[in-house]
mmCIF file of all heavy atoms in Angstrom:
data_model
loop_
_atom_site.group_PDB
_atom_site.id
_atom_site.type_symbol
_atom_site.label_atom_id
_atom_site.label_comp_id
_atom_site.label_asym_id
_atom_site.label_seq_id
_atom_site.Cartn_x
_atom_site.Cartn_y
_atom_site.Cartn_z
ATOM 1 N N GLN A 66 -30.483 20.723 3.138
ATOM 2 C CA GLN A 66 -31.060 21.809 2.425
ATOM 3 C C GLN A 66 -29.987 22.500 1.682
ATOM 4 O O GLN A 66 -28.958 22.833 2.283
ATOM 5 C CB GLN A 66 -31.898 22.730 3.315
ATOM 6 C CG GLN A 66 -32.979 22.092 3.945
ATOM 7 C CD GLN A 66 -33.721 23.206 4.857
ATOM 8 O OE1 GLN A 66 -33.156 24.083 5.220
ATOM 9 N NE2 GLN A 66 -34.972 22.837 5.192
ATOM 10 N N VAL A 67 -30.197 22.868 0.483
ATOM 11 C CA VAL A 67 -29.321 23.674 -0.268
ATOM 12 C C VAL A 67 -29.934 24.963 -0.765
ATOM 13 O O VAL A 67 -30.970 25.035 -1.412
ATOM 14 C CB VAL A 67 -28.743 22.873 -1.536
ATOM 15 C CG1 VAL A 67 -27.793 23.742 -2.354
ATOM 16 C CG2 VAL A 67 -28.111 21.657 -1.162
ATOM 17 N N ALA A 68 -29.369 26.075 -0.379
ATOM 18 C CA ALA A 68 -29.919 27.311 -0.637
ATOM 19 C C ALA A 68 -29.036 28.111 -1.564
ATOM 20 O O ALA A 68 -27.784 28.205 -1.211
ATOM 21 C CB ALA A 68 -30.318 28.097 0.588
ATOM 22 N N GLY A 69 -29.552 28.755 -2.502
ATOM 23 C CA GLY A 69 -28.776 29.777 -3.322
ATOM 24 C C GLY A 69 -28.735 31.147 -2.740
ATOM 25 O O GLY A 69 -29.743 31.716 -2.553
ATOM 26 N N VAL A 70 -27.631 31.611 -2.159
ATOM 27 C CA VAL A 70 -27.477 32.878 -1.660
ATOM 28 C C VAL A 70 -26.501 33.688 -2.367
ATOM 29 O O VAL A 70 -25.410 33.220 -2.744
ATOM 30 C CB VAL A 70 -26.919 32.762 -0.133
ATOM 31 C CG1 VAL A 70 -26.842 34.210 0.461
ATOM 32 C CG2 VAL A 70 -27.883 31.894 0.713
ATOM 33 N N PHE A 71 -26.789 34.907 -2.821
ATOM 34 C CA PHE A 71 -26.015 35.751 -3.619
ATOM 35 C C PHE A 71 -25.815 34.995 -5.047
ATOM 36 O O PHE A 71 -26.702 34.336 -5.467
ATOM 37 C CB PHE A 71 -24.674 36.159 -3.009
ATOM 38 C CG PHE A 71 -24.793 36.829 -1.703
ATOM 39 C CD1 PHE A 71 -24.352 36.267 -0.490
ATOM 40 C CD2 PHE A 71 -25.626 38.063 -1.603
ATOM 41 C CE1 PHE A 71 -24.586 36.959 0.692
ATOM 42 C CE2 PHE A 71 -25.769 38.674 -0.320
ATOM 43 C CZ PHE A 71 -25.336 38.015 0.786
ATOM 44 N N ALA A 72 -24.722 35.049 -5.520
ATOM 45 C CA ALA A 72 -24.487 34.511 -6.773
ATOM 46 C C ALA A 72 -24.065 32.986 -6.671
ATOM 47 O O ALA A 72 -24.238 32.143 -7.556
ATOM 48 C CB ALA A 72 -23.364 35.291 -7.624
ATOM 49 N N ASP A 73 -23.489 32.768 -5.531
ATOM 50 C CA ASP A 73 -23.020 31.407 -5.271
ATOM 51 C C ASP A 73 -23.988 30.529 -4.667
ATOM 52 O O ASP A 73 -24.985 31.004 -4.082
ATOM 53 C CB ASP A 73 -21.704 31.483 -4.455
ATOM 54 C CG ASP A 73 -20.653 32.239 -5.116
ATOM 55 O OD1 ASP A 73 -20.305 31.928 -6.255
ATOM 56 O OD2 ASP A 73 -20.006 33.054 -4.361
ATOM 57 N N CYS A 74 -23.776 29.323 -4.727
ATOM 58 C CA CYS A 74 -24.598 28.318 -3.951
ATOM 59 C C CYS A 74 -24.054 28.024 -2.655
ATOM 60 O O CYS A 74 -22.855 27.664 -2.484
ATOM 61 C CB CYS A 74 -24.822 26.935 -4.703
ATOM 62 S SG CYS A 74 -25.912 27.044 -6.016
ATOM 63 N N VAL A 75 -24.746 28.280 -1.581
ATOM 64 C CA VAL A 75 -24.288 28.065 -0.123
ATOM 65 C C VAL A 75 -25.091 26.994 0.421
ATOM 66 O O VAL A 75 -26.320 26.920 0.414
ATOM 67 C CB VAL A 75 -24.476 29.292 0.685
ATOM 68 C CG1 VAL A 75 -23.912 28.940 2.110
ATOM 69 C CG2 VAL A 75 -23.621 30.454 0.192
ATOM 70 N N SER A 76 -24.382 25.983 0.757
ATOM 71 C CA SER A 76 -25.124 24.806 1.232
ATOM 72 C C SER A 76 -25.309 24.814 2.776
ATOM 73 O O SER A 76 -24.414 25.107 3.500
ATOM 74 C CB SER A 76 -24.421 23.498 0.892
ATOM 75 O OG SER A 76 -23.282 23.415 1.409
ATOM 76 N N ILE A 77 -26.518 24.719 3.135
ATOM 77 C CA ILE A 77 -26.845 24.628 4.593
ATOM 78 C C ILE A 77 -27.198 23.177 4.994
ATOM 79 O O ILE A 77 -28.206 22.657 4.463
ATOM 80 C CB ILE A 77 -27.985 25.555 4.901
ATOM 81 C CG1 ILE A 77 -27.618 27.024 4.525
ATOM 82 C CG2 ILE A 77 -28.418 25.497 6.354
ATOM 83 C CD1 ILE A 77 -28.839 27.958 4.355
#
Side-chain angles (χ1 to χ4, degrees):
Q66 299 177 341
V67 180
V70 181
F71 305 118
D73 298 311
C74 278
V75 177
S76 59
I77 299 164

